[in-house]
Amino acid sequence: MTVPPYACGFVVTMITAYFSDRYHQRGIGAFITSGIALIGAALAINGRSIGVRYAALVLLLTGVYACAPCLISWVPNNTAGHVRRATAVAMAFIATNCGGIMSTWIYPQKSAPYYELGSRFNLSLTVIAMALVVAQVGLLRMLNRRKNTDPVGLLRGVEDLPYEEQLDKLGDRHPRYKYTY
């Protein structure tokens, strides 16, 4: 019974990865797959039968696993410059590992068999993640619009340098660098 949740997660991950990469829409992929996880988390809170709890697990796991590649690839897609990109990726993995540490405390043995604390925690974090994805897409769109409307202003102080040096100094803040959302 452990294979179906991961098999569903694999299939949805591959589909999501294909479409989010093809259309450069990491945010939409993350939002949709988080919605799948949200349904699973809501079912986990209210479900009492084995069948409903198993379906909740399949949906939650599918959504979380399919969302992860969108979020993981979003970070390096939107940071330029080796140091800045490496730092951003490291910070993202630190945050991810904090979730692994937290999971040992949100599923205490005394809350078995329904683990309401863990289910509510997952639901809350999924809602927060969905809100942050929407905010991030809005911010990236705004930054891309700003780059289109005032490219000269963004180059202030480096306009005399060749393009490669401008890009090295400004990184993802360069007017030609477009954020993916």
Side-chain angles (χ1 to χ4, degrees):
M1 295 303 289
T2 60
V3 173
Y6 291 101
C8 289
F10 173 76
V11 170
V12 173
T13 298
M14 292 296 108
I15 292 168
T16 304
Y18 174 78
F19 283 108
S20 68
D21 194 48
R22 173 158 181 161
Y23 297 106
H24 303 283
Q25 298 289 322
R26 310 278 189 246
I28 292 173
F31 188 81
I32 291 171
T33 53
S34 293
I36 295 170
L38 180 72
I39 294 167
L43 278 174
I45 290 172
N46 297 318
R48 293 295 177 249
S49 72
I50 297 293
V52 171
R53 289 172 45 210
Y54 186 72
L57 176 71
V58 170
L59 290 171
L60 184 61
L61 192 134
T62 297
V64 169
Y65 274 83
C67 183
C70 292
L71 297 178
I72 290 169
S73 62
W74 215 0
V75 173
N77 285 166
N78 289 318
T79 50
H82 299 299
V83 173
R84 186 175 167 113
R85 182 173 289 152
T87 303
V89 169
M91 295 296 285
F93 279 103
I94 288 169
T96 302
N97 286 325
C98 287
I101 293 168
M102 182 66 73
S103 67
T104 61
W105 291 312
I106 63 170
Y107 290 102
Q109 184 63 37
K110 66 181 177 184
S111 68
Y114 301 114
Y115 298 99
E116 288 186 26
L117 174 65
S119 297
R120 291 181 194 285
F121 199 82
N122 282 329
L123 180 71
S124 301
L125 288 181
T126 303
V127 169
I128 291 169
M130 291 176 79
L132 290 175
V133 163
V134 170
Q136 179 75 359
V137 167
L139 175 66
L140 293 173
R141 286 185 175 179
M142 180 193 72
L143 291 172
N144 279 343
R145 273 194 306 272
R146 186 179 299 161
K147 288 180 178 194
N148 290 334
T149 58
D150 188 25
V152 176
L154 294 171
L155 290 173
R156 208 166 277 128
V158 295
E159 60 272 334
D160 302 341
L161 300 173
Y163 171 71
E164 291 80 21
E165 289 183 40
Q166 288 177 351
L167 193 58
D168 281 345
K169 283 202 176 274
L170 294 177
D172 55 82
R173 293 178 299 261
H174 193 279
R176 288 192 193 169
Y177 189 96
K178 299 300 179 203
Y179 297 110
T180 59
Y181 40 84

